[in-house]
Amino acid sequence: MKNNEKRVALLMGLSLFMEMLDSTIVTTALPQIKNSLHITSANASLIISLYMIAVAIFIPLSGWLAKKYGNKKIWLLAIIIFTISSIGSGLASNLILMLSMRLLQGFSGALMVPIARLIVLENTPPQNLLKMISYVIWPALIAPAIAPFIGGILTTYWSWRLIFMINVPIGIILFIIGNKILQCESVHEDKNTTFDWIGFTLISLASASLLIALDIISSNKALNILSIVLLLVFISSSIVTVKYLMNTKVPLFSIQTLRFSSYKVSQFGGSIMWLTVGAIPYLSTIFFQNAFHWSAIKTGSFVLFIFVGNIAIKPVANSIIQRIGFKNTILCSLFLIFITTLMIGTLTEKMNQIYILAILTFSGIGRSLALTAYNGMSLVEIPYDERNSANTLGAVSQNLSQGIGVSLVTISFSILNQYQPDLDAYRLTYFLLGIITIVPIVEILIQPQSIGVVKQTN
């Protein structure tokens, strides 16, 4: 397997790319889908929110299925289901069929993404973990940045149905190569493992209630009785979930991995970074279209430079981390994210376009470097037998963070827009995202200089 480490990591990264592209590209095509299926805006938003809720609910299931049936089998099954449901979504002629296919897509995406990471983690020695994780993270960073551009091209010149159909050739390639190079590691299978229905129910309830509440708030532009009840359900179920996972003998996944400081920091700070991964490209897309009145294609072309930043830093990211350490790398990248986020909020339509592109590029550099460092640091202390649980917990927090990110900027703009003009509401929303970045800056500042390097040097 050692000779295949890089190929497997890139293959798993491509599967993350496919899932994240699908989850973000739909936003661009939503107006066309609404008109084609003759549905309301509220019903159209369900196409996005149902997918996110399905992913949140079923991610905890992935770790158990991997233990029981093996990583390769479940990953290949997820690829098949995702590809078939993509075809169904592209051919959907009514809302019911579309929502059914999106639910199926969410289910398969919930299995595909964490198991893809798990395949890499369980077959990579600690000394190569940073390099292999960077191969997995990079494609996942690309998808939200290029989605507006691809979506704009497809919906402007062809059909919204193609945004789903592009998954088909990717899925076929993934299945063929994966079936060939992935090994069936029966040593990791445990046919007798029992399923923790209580833990699954509690985690699903917490995740679903939070995302549904945020979706209701963003749609109604205000709190209502239902959203308040759901937020209370989220808080109470989260508390019960933590207590249950700490005390039960055979939990769905263990949270004991949080005893490692490098993992705990990467989960908290990394979650905020994943929040910005979805929020910045999404907010920038609607900002340029609505405030600058740019076309979908021009908007997508500019947001694409976030992806250019991701590429620019990729060849030297690992060298930077190895030279100055995880703490200094994360600190520098967070400052860059903080500054560029505020600067994007100050942009105007009449500014030099090279200047705008430069800021977006540096934003991509900061996000890419921060997530490479966070993810590379997260598992250096985790023993092999605990990586499944650590990966499942990480996947849950990552997915929720991305969902929260999009909802947060939508809610922020909706509320601010009631008291401020459009442009000012957008600027204040960028300012809010910048302020949020201060939290992980403070967290990493109080960590020891040696955080994350213990096993990296072994």
Side-chain angles (χ1 to χ4, degrees), residues 188-226:
H188 293 301
E189 296 179 22
D190 183 3
K191 300 294 184 183
N192 297 319
T193 183
T194 56
F195 186 67
D196 180 14
W197 284 104
I198 297 177
F200 176 72
T201 302
L202 288 172
I203 296 167
S204 300
L205 181 62
S207 301
S209 59
L210 174 61
L211 291 179
I212 294 172
L214 293 175
D215 186 64
I216 292 173
I217 296 171
S218 60
S219 298
N220 295 337
K221 302 181 180 181
L223 281 169
N224 58 21
I225 297 298
L226 179 57

Side-chain angles (χ1 to χ4, degrees), residues 14 35 102 107 118 202 322 417 432 443 445:
L14 182 58
N35 294 333
R102 290 292 283 171
F107 169 73
L118 190 60
L202 288 172
Q322 291 168 355
N417 197 217
L432 173 63
E443 181 195 38
L445 273 173

Side-chain angles (χ1 to χ4, degrees), residues 10 77 125 133 192 211 224 239 245 257 268 282 353 369 424:
L10 288 172
L77 177 63
I133 284 295
N192 297 319
L211 291 179
N224 58 21
I239 294 171
L245 292 176
T257 49
F268 183 75
Y282 172 77
Q353 295 190 351
L369 191 56
D424 291 338

Side-chain angles (χ1 to χ4, degrees), residues 371-445:
L371 283 176
T372 299
Y374 271 125
N375 282 274
M377 180 180 72
S378 65
L379 296 167
V380 292
E381 295 182 278
I382 306 296
Y384 275 95
D385 59 351
E386 295 186 60
R387 285 188 177 182
N388 189 310
S389 289
N391 180 67
T392 303
L393 177 57
V396 171
S397 62
Q398 174 185 322
N399 177 75
L400 285 176
S401 297
Q402 289 178 277
I404 291 170
V406 175
S407 297
L408 178 65
V409 295
T410 304
I411 293 169
S412 173
F413 175 78
S414 299
I415 294 175
L416 291 169
N417 197 217
Q418 297 181 38
Y419 307 99
Q420 301 286 337
D422 284 3
L423 187 59
D424 291 338
Y426 281 119
R427 297 197 192 290
L428 289 172
T429 300
Y430 276 110
F431 182 76
L432 173 63
L433 285 176
I435 295 299
I436 290 174
T437 311
I438 295 177
V439 178
I441 289 176
V442 173
E443 181 195 38
I444 198 66
L445 273 173

Side-chain angles (χ1 to χ4, degrees), residues 160-374:
W160 63 266
R161 298 183 185 276
L162 290 179
I163 68 173
F164 297 107
M165 293 303 183
I166 59 175
N167 293 329
V168 178
I170 300 176
I172 292 173
I173 292 170
L174 285 170
F175 182 86
I176 293 173
I177 298 177
N179 189 50
K180 181 179 180 180
I181 71 173
L182 295 180
Q183 298 179 3
C184 289
E185 298 176 335
S186 58
V187 67
H188 293 301
E189 296 179 22
D190 183 3
K191 300 294 184 183
N192 297 319
T193 183
T194 56
F195 186 67
D196 180 14
W197 284 104
I198 297 177
F200 176 72
T201 302
L202 288 172
I203 296 167
S204 300
L205 181 62
S207 301
S209 59
L210 174 61
L211 291 179
I212 294 172
L214 293 175
D215 186 64
I216 292 173
I217 296 171
S218 60
S219 298
N220 295 337
K221 302 181 180 181
L223 281 169
N224 58 21
I225 297 298
L226 179 57
S227 59
I228 293 173
V229 170
L230 287 171
L231 288 174
L232 292 175
V233 170
F234 161 69
I235 295 170
S236 57
S237 58
S238 296
I239 294 171
V240 174
T241 299
V242 171
K243 290 183 177 180
Y244 174 81
L245 292 176
M246 290 179 65
N247 297 319
T248 190
K249 292 183 178 180
V250 188
L252 186 63
F253 60 85
S254 174
I255 60 174
Q256 296 302 319
T257 49
L258 290 172
R259 69 185 185 276
F260 298 105
S261 59
S262 58
Y263 180 74
K264 181 168 60 178
V265 170
S266 69
Q267 286 307 296
F268 183 75
S271 293
I272 294 179
M273 286 303 94
W274 278 112
L275 184 151
T276 69
V277 164
I280 294 294
Y282 172 77
L283 180 60
S284 299
T285 299
I286 60 175
F287 175 50
F288 293 146
Q289 285 184 311
N290 297 335
F292 290 8
H293 307 291
W294 287 355
S295 67
I297 294 177
K298 183 176 181 179
T299 296
S301 299
F302 272 69
V303 175
L304 188 65
F305 273 77
I306 296 176
F307 157 64
V308 172
N310 295 337
I311 294 180
I313 199 64
K314 174 63 179 66
V316 296
N318 291 345
S319 298
I320 292 173
I321 294 170
Q322 291 168 355
R323 180 176 293 273
I324 67 175
F326 284 108
K327 178 177 178 176
N328 290 336
T329 302
I330 293 173
L331 196 56
C332 291
S333 58
L334 288 176
F335 272 117
L336 184 58
I337 294 168
F338 172 73
I339 293 170
T340 54
T341 301
L342 296 183
M343 291 178 72
I344 296 173
T346 64
L347 296 176
T348 65
E349 185 181 2
K350 296 180 180 179
M351 282 184 173
N352 186 295
Q353 295 190 351
I354 300 299
Y355 173 74
I356 298 175
L357 293 176
I359 293 175
L360 294 172
T361 301
F362 279 107
S363 175
I365 289 174
R367 288 160 8 109
S368 179
L369 191 56
L371 283 176
T372 299
Y374 271 125

Side-chain angles (χ1 to χ4, degrees), residues 49-65:
S49 56
L50 185 64
Y51 177 91
M52 296 173 60
I53 292 167
V55 173
I57 288 175
F58 291 111
I59 274 181
L61 185 63
S62 63
W64 178 79
L65 287 172

